[in-house]
Amino acid sequence: MYNNDNRIVITLDAGGTNLVFGAMRGCEYITEPITYPSNAHDLDLCLDTMVRGFREVIDSLDEKPVAISFAFPGPADYPNGIIGGYLPNFPSFREGVALGPFLQNELGLPVFINNDGDLFAYGEALCGALPDVNKRLADAGSPKRYRNLLGYTFGTGFGVGIVVNGQLNRGDNSCVETFCLPHKTKSGIIAEEGVAVRAIKRVYAEASADYNHNYEPKEICEIADGARPGNVNAAKKAFAEFGEIAGDSMAIAAQLIDGIIVIGGGITAARHLILPSLMTELRSSFVTIGGDRVRRVQMEVFNLDDPDEFADFAKGDRKRLKVRGTDMTVEYDSMKRIGIMFSKLGASKAISAGAYAFALAKLDENS
């Protein structure tokens, strides 16, 4: 939708260590990133650094940008651009900071701020996974098209975003989350304790009895693949459990949203270790009191990154039905289905693309 738009939007990847500034046109970066320390411990210094970075990008452009749009980690009143609450990586913002109004006053541009999970999903829906799936369906001769998407990020935490009919669902409180769903196997514990960097490190420690290890998920993945010394079974268990817990939470949301699922984030490098248990969970079933088996997710779930599964997904189960009392027939596809895939854009670019698209959508809405 915005892949061929010529307008420029300034973006920011706001992390607790660094602020990375850039600019996008047509969902693509058009400048080299500019990086400054976040100075997150000092509010005035942090805000001054933001203004400096944004001005440097703006001054490097031959054309005036139409907006600033970016993600900020943590709780916020995003529609009003106010950041505040429990922010481990930005402690100086905890009391509440009117960041959007401040930047708009300083730089004279509309400013849009959103949750990173929301922008990941929005970027994939408008510039990534969703248009890709629909193009592949069209190329395969399928009339099926998708308009809804669930986006998940696997990393320090378990992030989520929801797009329905091409519109980002931010909720009434900017608080659409699944990290706090119940953990499948640990009573009273949140799902994120099983779907995060710390979960992989913890399960490896427990399964290997190596409680003093310093391995990160990348290294635990290498152990599982036999590329690094270590406890192979424990490493495989860490990712298998990760996939199971993630799949359990996804099954709840997938049944409610009924759309394509796309996953991004650093831990997706271990997708070959995560996906089997995740798919098993999504394809699992429950039993009614009467003994009937019912699919956990009522739709069939396909791995869209597998060419053979995508072919079956595109084919569906089409047939022609006669219309009683006439010579007419209508086509009927009886297969209810969704698909899961991994981000081709990458989480960082998808978030920036989402920020880009969100700003333009809001500008178009208000024009």
Side-chain angles (χ1 to χ4, degrees), residues 69-266:
S69 186
F70 61 98
F72 202 90
D77 174 3
Y78 288 113
N80 292 308
I82 298 172
I83 309 298
Y86 178 62
L87 294 152
N89 293 327
F90 283 84
S92 60
F93 282 70
R94 288 181 181 175
E95 298 303 315
V97 177
L99 181 59
F102 164 74
L103 292 173
Q104 187 161 321
N105 180 66
E106 287 288 320
L107 300 166
L109 290 169
V111 176
F112 304 98
I113 309 174
N114 283 284
N115 172 269
D116 52 359
D118 287 344
L119 289 183
F120 171 75
Y122 200 55
E124 291 289 352
L126 272 64
C127 305
L130 216 52
D132 175 72
V133 166
N134 286 331
K135 181 180 183 303
R136 291 164 66 195
L137 286 169
D139 290 345
S142 170
K144 187 80 171 174
R145 297 293 182 272
Y146 286 81
R147 299 185 298 273
N148 305 316
L149 178 140
L150 271 165
Y152 287 96
T153 53
F154 290 171
T156 304
F158 185 29
V160 70
I162 297 170
V163 177
V164 177
N165 279 327
Q167 300 295 314
L168 178 63
N169 173 27
R170 296 198 291 180
D172 290 323
N173 295 284
S174 301
C175 195
V176 175
E177 298 287 359
T178 56
F179 80 93
C180 48
L181 287 173
H183 191 292
K184 181 190 175 188
T185 62
K186 297 183 183 298
S187 178
I189 301 297
I190 62 171
E192 189 173 84
E193 294 299 336
V195 192
V197 167
R198 63 186 182 274
I200 293 170
K201 296 164 72 171
R202 174 184 55 77
V203 175
Y204 179 81
E206 292 171 352
S208 65
D210 182 3
Y211 293 96
N212 296 316
H213 80 82
N214 294 311
Y215 296 131
E216 294 298 324
K218 179 179 183 295
E219 295 160 325
I220 296 173
C221 178
E222 291 171 353
I223 292 170
D225 290 338
R228 176 186 290 269
N231 189 315
V232 174
N233 290 333
K236 289 182 176 179
K237 177 178 172 59
F239 288 105
E241 185 172 309
F242 183 105
E244 178 185 0
I245 306 309
D248 179 67
S249 292
M250 286 180 175
I252 297 170
Q255 188 58 73
L256 296 172
I257 303 305
D258 185 9
I260 298 299
I261 300 171
V262 62
I263 305 170

Side-chain angles (χ1 to χ4, degrees), residues 252-297:
I252 297 170
Q255 188 58 73
L256 296 172
I257 303 305
D258 185 9
I260 298 299
I261 300 171
V262 62
I263 305 170
I267 296 176
T268 60
R271 67 190 67 178
H272 60 293
L273 300 169
I274 295 170
L275 194 59
S277 58
L278 192 155
M279 293 299 290
T280 296
E281 196 65 32
L282 286 171
R283 290 169 171 167
S284 64
S285 58
F286 291 140
V287 180
T288 68
I289 292 176
D292 295 328
R293 297 205 72 83
V294 178
R295 284 180 181 167
R296 176 79 190 276
V297 176

